Amino acid sequence: MMKKIIVAVTGASGAVYARKVVERLLRSDEVEQVAVLVSDNGRKVMEYERERLPEGDARMVYFDNEDLFAPPASGSAGYDGMAVVPCTMGTAGRIAAGISADLIGRAADVMLKERRRLVLVVREAPFSTVHLRNLTSLSECGAVVLPASPSFYSRPADIDALCDTVAVRAVRLLGIASEGYEWDGGRS
C-alpha cells in the first residue's frame, strides 16, 4: 500500500535532517506523496544553514503553512504519517496545547486525533522542564519524540553519515523501510 507522508520543517537548527528525510522518502517505492510544509523560520534556517530540499520529483507537493484549507488540515485527506523535522520547542509546545494556528500545527493535530503516526525530531539541548512536560504530553497522546541525537554504533565516516542515523530512524518510525545501519549486538 502506497503511503502519503507529511514533512514539516520548522525553525530549529538541523535543516540537514529535513533534507535527508525527504530524500529517503522520495527514494522509497512505498511513498505515493510527500507533502511539505515549511514555517517562515524554517525557511530562514534552511537558507542560513545552506540546505535545500530536493526538487523535481512530482510526488513532492508544497503547501503554504498559512493555508488551513490545504489537504493536510483534514483527516479525510488520508495522510498516513507526519514528521516534524527539525521540530522547535515552540512548535512542540503549540502541538501539545492543541494550538492549530498554522498548517503545521493543524496537520499535527490531525495526526494525533486520527491516531496516525506523528514523529517529532526535536532539536534542543538542554531540555527545560517546560520542554520535558510538553514532550511527555505529546508522547502520552501518541506522538513519537525522536531527539536529533545521532548514533555512533555504525562508526560514521563523516557528518553526512552521522546525520543519516537520525534520518533513517525518522523514516522507519513513519513505517517506511529505509536502508541504514542495524545493530547486530556489536559483533561487526
Side-chain angles (χ1 to χ4, degrees):
M1 174 200 270
M2 298 289 281
K3 294 187 177 183
K4 292 169 49 176
I5 304 294
I6 302 166
V7 175
V9 182
T10 68
S13 179
V16 62
Y17 295 119
R19 176 181 53 81
K20 289 185 158 296
V21 165
V22 170
E23 288 172 347
R24 285 182 170 277
L25 290 170
L26 292 174
R27 282 197 303 259
S28 173
D29 293 335
E30 299 175 59
V31 176
E32 172 186 341
Q33 182 188 94
V34 178
V36 179
L37 321 176
V38 183
S39 72
D40 288 341
N41 283 330
R43 214 175 303 298
K44 290 174 186 173
V45 170
M46 286 181 68
E47 184 177 310
Y48 182 81
E49 294 180 351
R50 297 188 177 112
E51 285 292 341
R52 298 186 69 178
L53 295 177
E55 296 176 359
D57 192 308
R59 295 176 300 155
M60 201 168 147
V61 181
Y62 281 88
F63 293 101
D64 185 321
N65 192 37
E66 300 306 313
D67 184 1
L68 291 175
F69 286 92
S74 174
S76 64
Y79 286 95
D80 298 289
M82 177 178 180
V84 183
V85 52
C87 183
T88 65
M89 286 297 116
T91 301
R94 287 185 296 279
I95 295 168
I99 298 171
S100 298
D102 58 18
L103 188 55
I104 291 171
R106 175 59 187 161
D109 190 45
V110 167
M111 291 296 114
L112 293 175
K113 80 179 185 70
E114 300 286 334
R115 304 291 193 253
R116 296 181 187 152
R117 185 54 59 110
L118 174 61
V119 178
L120 304 175
V121 182
V122 295
R123 252 291 304 124
E124 187 67 71
F127 292 131
S128 74
T129 302
V130 171
H131 300 155
L132 292 168
R133 287 183 178 144
N134 286 334
L135 296 175
T136 298
S137 176
L138 287 161
S139 180
E140 290 169 345
C141 291
V144 176
V145 177
L146 172 62
S149 301
S151 151
F152 295 88
Y153 295 126
S154 62
R155 298 181 184 105
D158 54 26
I159 290 176
D160 195 59
L162 189 63
C163 292
D164 265 334
T165 66
V166 173
V168 167
R169 291 186 77 153
V171 171
R172 287 178 179 171
L173 285 167
L174 288 167
I176 307 293
S178 187
E179 277 189 37
Y181 177 78
E182 294 194 21
W183 176 251
D184 64 0
R187 292 183 271 284
S188 57

